[in-house]
Amino acid sequence: MGNLMVNQYQNSRQQDVYCILDKGRSMKMPFNGMTLLDHSINSILSLSNIILKKYDHAGLISFSDKIDTALKSSSKKGQLERISQRLYREITGFNESNFELLLQMTRKLISRRSIWLFYTNFETPYDLRRQLPFLRLMCKKHLVVAIIFINTELQDTAEMVCENKSDIYLRTFAEKAIMEKELIRDELIRNGIQTILTRPENLSINVINKYLEIKAKRLR
């Protein structure tokens, strides 16, 4: 046009955000008529909608003893529908989860650092110790947030009024299980893995708040 023109460049603030869905046997536990897997599927759909509204790239990976879904992150039109279709086609036999396979696959699929909202569950410290080496390797390249669940039925049992020896035994067992879950959370955090320990009914709001918190910190 015959006028002086200046190019202005701005760093992209879009981020790759993956919802990682563990479909193994630890997600079979029922709460309020739904399994932990069902609660997680509903949460991922809500979260993915928020991710796309924040102009980030949303992706989905689901696995158990094999990789079932590997949808690369995107913000293109129709991505929420693609995520929804895959979520509601999910079928699982609740087999043992293969974290090593997940690590190998994601190294090939995901080339740049991303945020992982990892829906999983560990009922005992032993369960965590078996998978911790793989989680630590994932954290070297990605920001991983482990999402694990409070057993609300055990929590109610731990607060019960004991009327006999049987009640005392049940309450002691419940208190021990609750303490172990808190130890699991603390161990994850010590290993550099951000962690959400949540009741199933509060899952969506807690995960969305965590994503928004991470997003706000990265934009500062």
Side-chain angles (χ1 to χ4, degrees):
M1 300 293 293
N3 297 323
L4 178 66
M5 300 181 67
V6 179
N7 290 332
Q8 292 184 330
Y9 296 94
Q10 182 177 3
N11 290 332
S12 174
R13 294 185 174 184
Q14 290 184 325
Q15 297 166 323
D16 293 328
V17 185
Y18 282 88
C19 293
I20 313 292
L21 178 61
D22 180 353
K23 303 197 313 179
R25 63 184 57 165
S26 66
M27 301 292 279
K28 191 176 183 179
M29 295 177 64
F31 292 96
N32 299 326
M34 297 169 61
T35 65
L36 294 181
L37 181 65
D38 295 328
H39 284 285
S40 298
I41 286 173
N42 290 339
S43 172
I44 289 172
L45 188 58
S46 299
L47 176 62
S48 297
N49 186 40
I50 298 295
I51 291 168
L52 293 169
K53 285 185 176 180
K54 288 294 181 180
Y55 303 105
D56 280 339
H57 305 284
L60 173 67
I61 297 171
S62 69
F63 76 106
S64 55
D65 58 329
K66 58 185 178 66
I67 304 299
D68 293 309
T69 296
L71 181 62
K72 197 166 179 63
S73 64
S74 173
S75 59
K76 292 181 180 179
K77 184 178 180 180
Q79 181 70 351
L80 185 61
E81 183 179 353
R82 286 187 285 272
I83 291 172
S84 177
Q85 288 175 351
R86 284 162 174 77
L87 283 174
Y88 288 105
R89 286 204 304 261
E90 294 287 7
I91 299 174
T92 179
F94 293 106
N95 299 318
E96 183 72 19
S97 297
N98 190 334
F99 278 59
E100 183 177 8
L101 178 63
L102 174 68
L103 176 63
Q104 293 171 352
M105 188 278 293
T106 52
R107 280 175 170 169
K108 298 175 182 178
L109 177 71
I110 307 173
S111 58
R112 65 178 183 176
R113 184 170 177 81
S114 57
I115 300 170
W116 288 17
L117 286 306
F118 199 141
Y119 293 76
T120 186
N121 202 40
F122 304 104
E123 284 303 312
T124 68
Y126 171 75
D127 294 335
L128 172 62
R129 284 193 295 270
R130 292 175 54 223
Q131 309 298 354
L132 192 55
F134 305 116
L135 288 168
R136 291 176 65 179
L137 288 171
M138 295 171 193
C139 279
K140 287 186 176 181
K141 187 170 183 181
H142 306 285
L143 194 164
V144 179
V145 180
I147 303 157
I148 58 177
F149 295 88
I150 295 170
N151 189 322
T152 52
E153 294 180 2
L154 284 178
Q155 195 166 53
D156 292 340
T157 302
E159 296 170 357
M160 69 184 292
V161 177
C162 298
E163 298 179 352
N164 50 53
K165 288 183 179 181
S166 178
D167 288 349
I168 294 173
Y169 172 79
L170 288 173
R171 179 169 175 171
T172 302
F173 171 81
E175 289 173 345
K176 179 177 181 293
I178 290 170
M179 183 181 67
E180 285 187 339
K181 186 56 71 83
E182 292 172 351
L183 290 173
I184 289 169
R185 176 198 59 198
D186 295 343
E187 183 68 16
L188 285 163
I189 293 172
R190 275 196 299 272
N191 281 274
I193 304 164
Q194 297 192 42
T195 306
I196 300 171
L197 177 58
T198 181
R199 298 173 68 95
E201 62 267 28
N202 298 332
L203 174 61
S204 290
I205 188 65
N206 287 338
V207 176
I208 289 171
N209 284 341
K210 185 65 176 178
Y211 161 70
L212 294 175
E213 175 190 324
I214 293 171
K215 180 77 174 170
K217 287 180 178 179
R218 289 199 161 196
L219 293 182
R220 287 173 186 169

mmCIF file of all heavy atoms in Angstrom, residues 125-160:
data_model
loop_
_atom_site.group_PDB
_atom_site.id
_atom_site.type_symbol
_atom_site.label_atom_id
_atom_site.label_comp_id
_atom_site.label_asym_id
_atom_site.label_seq_id
_atom_site.Cartn_x
_atom_site.Cartn_y
_atom_site.Cartn_z
ATOM 1 N N PRO A 125 -0.702 -48.251 49.207
ATOM 2 C CA PRO A 125 0.642 -47.775 48.844
ATOM 3 C C PRO A 125 1.374 -48.745 47.924
ATOM 4 O O PRO A 125 2.156 -48.320 47.072
ATOM 5 C CB PRO A 125 1.340 -47.646 50.200
ATOM 6 C CG PRO A 125 0.228 -47.377 51.173
ATOM 7 C CD PRO A 125 -0.927 -48.207 50.668
ATOM 8 N N TYR A 126 1.126 -50.033 48.082
ATOM 9 C CA TYR A 126 1.756 -51.024 47.201
ATOM 10 C C TYR A 126 1.329 -50.809 45.754
ATOM 11 O O TYR A 126 2.149 -50.877 44.823
ATOM 12 C CB TYR A 126 1.382 -52.434 47.643
ATOM 13 C CG TYR A 126 1.817 -53.511 46.670
ATOM 14 C CD1 TYR A 126 3.153 -53.895 46.580
ATOM 15 C CD2 TYR A 126 0.893 -54.126 45.817
ATOM 16 C CE1 TYR A 126 3.565 -54.869 45.672
ATOM 17 C CE2 TYR A 126 1.292 -55.104 44.913
ATOM 18 C CZ TYR A 126 2.627 -55.468 44.848
ATOM 19 O OH TYR A 126 3.024 -56.417 43.942
ATOM 20 N N ASP A 127 0.040 -50.534 45.526
ATOM 21 C CA ASP A 127 -0.449 -50.261 44.168
ATOM 22 C C ASP A 127 0.291 -49.076 43.553
ATOM 23 O O ASP A 127 0.659 -49.095 42.372
ATOM 24 C CB ASP A 127 -1.953 -49.970 44.187
ATOM 25 C CG ASP A 127 -2.774 -51.177 44.602
ATOM 26 O OD1 ASP A 127 -2.288 -52.310 44.417
ATOM 27 O OD2 ASP A 127 -3.893 -50.988 45.110
ATOM 28 N N LEU A 128 0.489 -48.041 44.356
ATOM 29 C CA LEU A 128 1.193 -46.862 43.861
ATOM 30 C C LEU A 128 2.647 -47.167 43.551
ATOM 31 O O LEU A 128 3.158 -46.757 42.495
ATOM 32 C CB LEU A 128 1.115 -45.733 44.893
ATOM 33 C CG LEU A 128 1.972 -44.499 44.583
ATOM 34 C CD1 LEU A 128 1.521 -43.852 43.275
ATOM 35 C CD2 LEU A 128 1.925 -43.509 45.729
ATOM 36 N N ARG A 129 3.332 -47.885 44.433
ATOM 37 C CA ARG A 129 4.760 -48.157 44.242
ATOM 38 C C ARG A 129 5.021 -48.901 42.935
ATOM 39 O O ARG A 129 6.060 -48.697 42.294
ATOM 40 C CB ARG A 129 5.310 -48.947 45.433
ATOM 41 C CG ARG A 129 5.532 -48.097 46.684
ATOM 42 C CD ARG A 129 6.363 -48.832 47.712
ATOM 43 N NE ARG A 129 5.677 -50.003 48.233
ATOM 44 C CZ ARG A 129 4.891 -50.003 49.299
ATOM 45 N NH1 ARG A 129 4.670 -48.866 49.955
ATOM 46 N NH2 ARG A 129 4.318 -51.117 49.725
ATOM 47 N N ARG A 130 4.100 -49.751 42.518
ATOM 48 C CA ARG A 130 4.267 -50.487 41.275
ATOM 49 C C ARG A 130 4.258 -49.571 40.059
ATOM 50 O O ARG A 130 4.919 -49.835 39.053
ATOM 51 C CB ARG A 130 3.168 -51.546 41.140
ATOM 52 C CG ARG A 130 3.265 -52.674 42.153
ATOM 53 C CD ARG A 130 2.086 -53.599 42.046
ATOM 54 N NE ARG A 130 1.910 -54.106 40.694
ATOM 55 C CZ ARG A 130 0.739 -54.212 40.074
ATOM 56 N NH1 ARG A 130 -0.376 -53.837 40.696
ATOM 57 N NH2 ARG A 130 0.659 -54.696 38.857
ATOM 58 N N GLN A 131 3.485 -48.483 40.132
ATOM 59 C CA GLN A 131 3.314 -47.609 38.966
ATOM 60 C C GLN A 131 4.117 -46.314 39.063
ATOM 61 O O GLN A 131 4.260 -45.600 38.061
ATOM 62 C CB GLN A 131 1.831 -47.258 38.794
ATOM 63 C CG GLN A 131 0.877 -48.435 38.791
ATOM 64 C CD GLN A 131 1.133 -49.415 37.646
ATOM 65 O OE1 GLN A 131 1.955 -49.171 36.776
ATOM 66 N NE2 GLN A 131 0.409 -50.534 37.650
ATOM 67 N N LEU A 132 4.648 -46.031 40.240
ATOM 68 C CA LEU A 132 5.332 -44.754 40.458
ATOM 69 C C LEU A 132 6.507 -44.516 39.517
ATOM 70 O O LEU A 132 6.682 -43.389 39.028
ATOM 71 C CB LEU A 132 5.780 -44.655 41.920
ATOM 72 C CG LEU A 132 6.259 -43.287 42.393
ATOM 73 C CD1 LEU A 132 5.205 -42.211 42.136
ATOM 74 C CD2 LEU A 132 6.604 -43.340 43.884
ATOM 75 N N PRO A 133 7.347 -45.514 39.212
ATOM 76 C CA PRO A 133 8.454 -45.249 38.272
ATOM 77 C C PRO A 133 7.985 -44.720 36.923
ATOM 78 O O PRO A 133 8.629 -43.838 36.335
ATOM 79 C CB PRO A 133 9.119 -46.625 38.132
ATOM 80 C CG PRO A 133 8.792 -47.337 39.405
ATOM 81 C CD PRO A 133 7.403 -46.885 39.754
ATOM 82 N N PHE A 134 6.856 -45.239 36.432
ATOM 83 C CA PHE A 134 6.339 -44.781 35.140
ATOM 84 C C PHE A 134 5.773 -43.365 35.256
ATOM 85 O O PHE A 134 5.959 -42.534 34.357
ATOM 86 C CB PHE A 134 5.278 -45.747 34.625
ATOM 87 C CG PHE A 134 5.763 -47.166 34.530
ATOM 88 C CD1 PHE A 134 5.209 -48.166 35.308
ATOM 89 C CD2 PHE A 134 6.799 -47.505 33.665
ATOM 90 C CE1 PHE A 134 5.660 -49.472 35.228
ATOM 91 C CE2 PHE A 134 7.260 -48.806 33.575
ATOM 92 C CZ PHE A 134 6.690 -49.798 34.358
ATOM 93 N N LEU A 135 5.101 -43.074 36.356
ATOM 94 C CA LEU A 135 4.562 -41.728 36.562
ATOM 95 C C LEU A 135 5.684 -40.696 36.663
ATOM 96 O O LEU A 135 5.574 -39.584 36.134
ATOM 97 C CB LEU A 135 3.708 -41.696 37.833
ATOM 98 C CG LEU A 135 2.354 -42.411 37.750
ATOM 99 C CD1 LEU A 135 1.743 -42.565 39.138
ATOM 100 C CD2 LEU A 135 1.394 -41.649 36.847
ATOM 101 N N ARG A 136 6.761 -41.066 37.324
ATOM 102 C CA ARG A 136 7.885 -40.139 37.456
ATOM 103 C C ARG A 136 8.514 -39.837 36.096
ATOM 104 O O ARG A 136 8.910 -38.700 35.823
ATOM 105 C CB ARG A 136 8.927 -40.722 38.408
ATOM 106 C CG ARG A 136 8.456 -40.778 39.850
ATOM 107 C CD ARG A 136 9.466 -41.453 40.747
ATOM 108 N NE ARG A 136 10.696 -40.681 40.838
ATOM 109 C CZ ARG A 136 11.741 -41.048 41.573
ATOM 110 N NH1 ARG A 136 11.697 -42.185 42.253
ATOM 111 N NH2 ARG A 136 12.816 -40.296 41.629
ATOM 112 N N LEU A 137 8.584 -40.841 35.223
ATOM 113 C CA LEU A 137 9.110 -40.611 33.880
ATOM 114 C C LEU A 137 8.184 -39.713 33.071
ATOM 115 O O LEU A 137 8.638 -38.864 32.295
ATOM 116 C CB LEU A 137 9.311 -41.949 33.162
ATOM 117 C CG LEU A 137 10.489 -42.797 33.658
ATOM 118 C CD1 LEU A 137 10.449 -44.188 33.032
ATOM 119 C CD2 LEU A 137 11.820 -42.115 33.364
ATOM 120 N N MET A 138 6.879 -39.880 33.251
ATOM 121 C CA MET A 138 5.917 -39.012 32.565
ATOM 122 C C MET A 138 6.097 -37.564 32.999
ATOM 123 O O MET A 138 5.984 -36.632 32.192
ATOM 124 C CB MET A 138 4.491 -39.481 32.857
ATOM 125 C CG MET A 138 4.142 -40.852 32.304
ATOM 126 S SD MET A 138 2.542 -41.450 32.917
ATOM 127 C CE MET A 138 2.608 -43.184 32.443
ATOM 128 N N CYS A 139 6.381 -37.364 34.292
ATOM 129 C CA CYS A 139 6.513 -36.015 34.843
ATOM 130 C C CYS A 139 7.757 -35.290 34.344
ATOM 131 O O CYS A 139 7.831 -34.069 34.439
ATOM 132 C CB CYS A 139 6.549 -36.074 36.372
ATOM 133 S SG CYS A 139 4.933 -36.203 37.099
ATOM 134 N N LYS A 140 8.727 -36.033 33.835
ATOM 135 C CA LYS A 140 9.924 -35.378 33.325
ATOM 136 C C LYS A 140 9.631 -34.552 32.077
ATOM 137 O O LYS A 140 10.340 -33.589 31.787
ATOM 138 C CB LYS A 140 10.995 -36.430 33.011
ATOM 139 C CG LYS A 140 11.624 -37.036 34.257
ATOM 140 C CD LYS A 140 12.769 -37.969 33.890
ATOM 141 C CE LYS A 140 13.447 -38.503 35.147
ATOM 142 N NZ LYS A 140 14.586 -39.407 34.809
ATOM 143 N N LYS A 141 8.584 -34.931 31.351
ATOM 144 C CA LYS A 141 8.270 -34.228 30.110
ATOM 145 C C LYS A 141 6.966 -33.446 30.183
ATOM 146 O O LYS A 141 6.779 -32.465 29.462
ATOM 147 C CB LYS A 141 8.198 -35.226 28.947
ATOM 148 C CG LYS A 141 8.039 -34.559 27.597
ATOM 149 C CD LYS A 141 8.205 -35.528 26.449
ATOM 150 C CE LYS A 141 8.112 -34.813 25.111
ATOM 151 N NZ LYS A 141 8.254 -35.733 23.967
ATOM 152 N N HIS A 142 6.051 -33.850 31.062
ATOM 153 C CA HIS A 142 4.728 -33.225 31.099
ATOM 154 C C HIS A 142 4.364 -32.794 32.517
ATOM 155 O O HIS A 142 4.935 -33.293 33.494
ATOM 156 C CB HIS A 142 3.674 -34.208 30.571
ATOM 157 C CG HIS A 142 3.990 -34.759 29.217
ATOM 158 N ND1 HIS A 142 3.842 -34.029 28.067
ATOM 159 C CD2 HIS A 142 4.466 -35.978 28.827
ATOM 160 C CE1 HIS A 142 4.200 -34.759 27.024
ATOM 161 N NE2 HIS A 142 4.593 -35.945 27.462
ATOM 162 N N LEU A 143 3.419 -31.882 32.600
ATOM 163 C CA LEU A 143 2.868 -31.499 33.893
ATOM 164 C C LEU A 143 1.713 -32.451 34.186
ATOM 165 O O LEU A 143 0.656 -32.358 33.562
ATOM 166 C CB LEU A 143 2.383 -30.049 33.864
ATOM 167 C CG LEU A 143 2.082 -29.383 35.208
ATOM 168 C CD1 LEU A 143 1.989 -27.875 35.056
ATOM 169 C CD2 LEU A 143 0.797 -29.903 35.855
ATOM 170 N N VAL A 144 1.933 -33.365 35.115
ATOM 171 C CA VAL A 144 0.956 -34.420 35.396
ATOM 172 C C VAL A 144 0.204 -34.103 36.676
ATOM 173 O O VAL A 144 0.806 -33.822 37.720
ATOM 174 C CB VAL A 144 1.652 -35.792 35.524
ATOM 175 C CG1 VAL A 144 0.637 -36.883 35.852
ATOM 176 C CG2 VAL A 144 2.398 -36.132 34.232
ATOM 177 N N VAL A 145 -1.120 -34.157 36.592
ATOM 178 C CA VAL A 145 -1.984 -34.030 37.770
ATOM 179 C C VAL A 145 -2.711 -35.353 37.949
ATOM 180 O O VAL A 145 -3.547 -35.734 37.128
ATOM 181 C CB VAL A 145 -3.004 -32.888 37.607
ATOM 182 C CG1 VAL A 145 -3.878 -32.782 38.861
ATOM 183 C CG2 VAL A 145 -2.308 -31.566 37.333
ATOM 184 N N ALA A 146 -2.380 -36.079 39.003
ATOM 185 C CA ALA A 146 -3.052 -37.349 39.296
ATOM 186 C C ALA A 146 -4.355 -37.070 40.038
ATOM 187 O O ALA A 146 -4.381 -36.308 41.005
ATOM 188 C CB ALA A 146 -2.153 -38.239 40.137
ATOM 189 N N ILE A 147 -5.415 -37.690 39.567
ATOM 190 C CA ILE A 147 -6.737 -37.512 40.186
ATOM 191 C C ILE A 147 -7.142 -38.840 40.801
ATOM 192 O O ILE A 147 -7.382 -39.818 40.090
ATOM 193 C CB ILE A 147 -7.771 -37.060 39.134
ATOM 194 C CG1 ILE A 147 -7.304 -35.765 38.464
ATOM 195 C CG2 ILE A 147 -9.144 -36.876 39.777
ATOM 196 C CD1 ILE A 147 -7.917 -35.528 37.106
ATOM 197 N N ILE A 148 -7.192 -38.886 42.121
ATOM 198 C CA ILE A 148 -7.540 -40.109 42.836
ATOM 199 C C ILE A 148 -8.732 -39.838 43.745
ATOM 200 O O ILE A 148 -9.083 -38.683 44.007
ATOM 201 C CB ILE A 148 -6.348 -40.661 43.636
ATOM 202 C CG1 ILE A 148 -5.840 -39.619 44.637
ATOM 203 C CG2 ILE A 148 -5.222 -41.071 42.684
ATOM 204 C CD1 ILE A 148 -4.697 -40.125 45.515
ATOM 205 N N PHE A 149 -9.334 -40.913 44.254
ATOM 206 C CA PHE A 149 -10.654 -40.785 44.850
ATOM 207 C C PHE A 149 -10.693 -41.171 46.330
ATOM 208 O O PHE A 149 -10.046 -42.136 46.759
ATOM 209 C CB PHE A 149 -11.652 -41.664 44.091
ATOM 210 C CG PHE A 149 -11.861 -41.234 42.674
ATOM 211 C CD1 PHE A 149 -11.040 -41.701 41.652
ATOM 212 C CD2 PHE A 149 -12.865 -40.332 42.350
ATOM 213 C CE1 PHE A 149 -11.213 -41.305 40.339
ATOM 214 C CE2 PHE A 149 -13.051 -39.925 41.041
ATOM 215 C CZ PHE A 149 -12.233 -40.412 40.038
ATOM 216 N N ILE A 150 -11.478 -40.412 47.071
ATOM 217 C CA ILE A 150 -11.802 -40.750 48.450
ATOM 218 C C ILE A 150 -12.901 -41.809 48.425
ATOM 219 O O ILE A 150 -13.906 -41.662 47.721
ATOM 220 C CB ILE A 150 -12.296 -39.512 49.223
ATOM 221 C CG1 ILE A 150 -11.172 -38.472 49.341
ATOM 222 C CG2 ILE A 150 -12.832 -39.888 50.592
ATOM 223 C CD1 ILE A 150 -11.641 -37.130 49.877
ATOM 224 N N ASN A 151 -12.719 -42.867 49.186
ATOM 225 C CA ASN A 151 -13.768 -43.877 49.335
ATOM 226 C C ASN A 151 -14.775 -43.358 50.353
ATOM 227 O O ASN A 151 -14.560 -43.437 51.564
ATOM 228 C CB ASN A 151 -13.160 -45.205 49.782
ATOM 229 C CG ASN A 151 -14.164 -46.339 49.739
ATOM 230 O OD1 ASN A 151 -15.336 -46.152 50.054
ATOM 231 N ND2 ASN A 151 -13.710 -47.521 49.364
ATOM 232 N N THR A 152 -15.870 -42.802 49.864
ATOM 233 C CA THR A 152 -16.830 -42.142 50.754
ATOM 234 C C THR A 152 -17.518 -43.121 51.703
ATOM 235 O O THR A 152 -17.896 -42.754 52.815
ATOM 236 C CB THR A 152 -17.889 -41.399 49.925
ATOM 237 O OG1 THR A 152 -18.454 -42.293 48.956
ATOM 238 C CG2 THR A 152 -17.260 -40.227 49.192
ATOM 239 N N GLU A 153 -17.676 -44.363 51.276
ATOM 240 C CA GLU A 153 -18.291 -45.351 52.151
ATOM 241 C C GLU A 153 -17.388 -45.659 53.342
ATOM 242 O O GLU A 153 -17.853 -45.787 54.477
ATOM 243 C CB GLU A 153 -18.604 -46.619 51.368
ATOM 244 C CG GLU A 153 -19.678 -46.418 50.307
ATOM 245 C CD GLU A 153 -19.972 -47.689 49.529
ATOM 246 O OE1 GLU A 153 -19.355 -48.724 49.850
ATOM 247 O OE2 GLU A 153 -20.810 -47.635 48.621
ATOM 248 N N LEU A 154 -16.085 -45.751 53.095
ATOM 249 C CA LEU A 154 -15.146 -45.956 54.189
ATOM 250 C C LEU A 154 -15.117 -44.752 55.118
ATOM 251 O O LEU A 154 -14.980 -44.897 56.330
ATOM 252 C CB LEU A 154 -13.743 -46.222 53.640
ATOM 253 C CG LEU A 154 -13.482 -47.610 53.056
ATOM 254 C CD1 LEU A 154 -12.063 -47.694 52.519
ATOM 255 C CD2 LEU A 154 -13.706 -48.697 54.107
ATOM 256 N N GLN A 155 -15.244 -43.567 54.540
ATOM 257 C CA GLN A 155 -15.239 -42.357 55.359
ATOM 258 C C GLN A 155 -16.436 -42.340 56.309
ATOM 259 O O GLN A 155 -16.307 -41.982 57.481
ATOM 260 C CB GLN A 155 -15.246 -41.123 54.473
ATOM 261 C CG GLN A 155 -14.872 -39.843 55.198
ATOM 262 C CD GLN A 155 -14.565 -38.729 54.238
ATOM 263 O OE1 GLN A 155 -15.364 -38.412 53.360
ATOM 264 N NE2 GLN A 155 -13.414 -38.099 54.385
ATOM 265 N N ASP A 156 -17.580 -42.763 55.803
ATOM 266 C CA ASP A 156 -18.770 -42.841 56.662
ATOM 267 C C ASP A 156 -18.573 -43.875 57.772
ATOM 268 O O ASP A 156 -18.958 -43.647 58.923
ATOM 269 C CB ASP A 156 -20.001 -43.213 55.828
ATOM 270 C CG ASP A 156 -20.402 -42.104 54.864
ATOM 271 O OD1 ASP A 156 -19.989 -40.953 55.092
ATOM 272 O OD2 ASP A 156 -21.103 -42.395 53.880
ATOM 273 N N THR A 157 -17.941 -45.004 57.419
ATOM 274 C CA THR A 157 -17.689 -46.050 58.416
ATOM 275 C C THR A 157 -16.713 -45.561 59.478
ATOM 276 O O THR A 157 -16.868 -45.872 60.673
ATOM 277 C CB THR A 157 -17.121 -47.316 57.737
ATOM 278 O OG1 THR A 157 -18.043 -47.760 56.746
ATOM 279 C CG2 THR A 157 -16.892 -48.425 58.752
ATOM 280 N N ALA A 158 -15.721 -44.778 59.087
ATOM 281 C CA ALA A 158 -14.731 -44.268 60.033
ATOM 282 C C ALA A 158 -15.338 -43.284 61.021
ATOM 283 O O ALA A 158 -14.771 -43.044 62.096
ATOM 284 C CB ALA A 158 -13.584 -43.605 59.280
ATOM 285 N N GLU A 159 -16.487 -42.722 60.687
ATOM 286 C CA GLU A 159 -17.136 -41.741 61.561
ATOM 287 C C GLU A 159 -18.311 -42.338 62.335
ATOM 288 O O GLU A 159 -19.004 -41.640 63.065
ATOM 289 C CB GLU A 159 -17.614 -40.558 60.717
ATOM 290 C CG GLU A 159 -16.472 -39.785 60.046
ATOM 291 C CD GLU A 159 -16.956 -38.779 59.021
ATOM 292 O OE1 GLU A 159 -18.198 -38.730 58.800
ATOM 293 O OE2 GLU A 159 -16.114 -38.068 58.447
ATOM 294 N N MET A 160 -18.527 -43.659 62.182
ATOM 295 C CA MET A 160 -19.658 -44.304 62.837
ATOM 296 C C MET A 160 -19.469 -44.404 64.349
ATOM 297 O O MET A 160 -18.345 -44.416 64.857
ATOM 298 C CB MET A 160 -19.879 -45.708 62.259
ATOM 299 C CG MET A 160 -18.774 -46.695 62.612
ATOM 300 S SD MET A 160 -18.970 -48.325 61.830
ATOM 301 C CE MET A 160 -20.412 -48.947 62.661
#
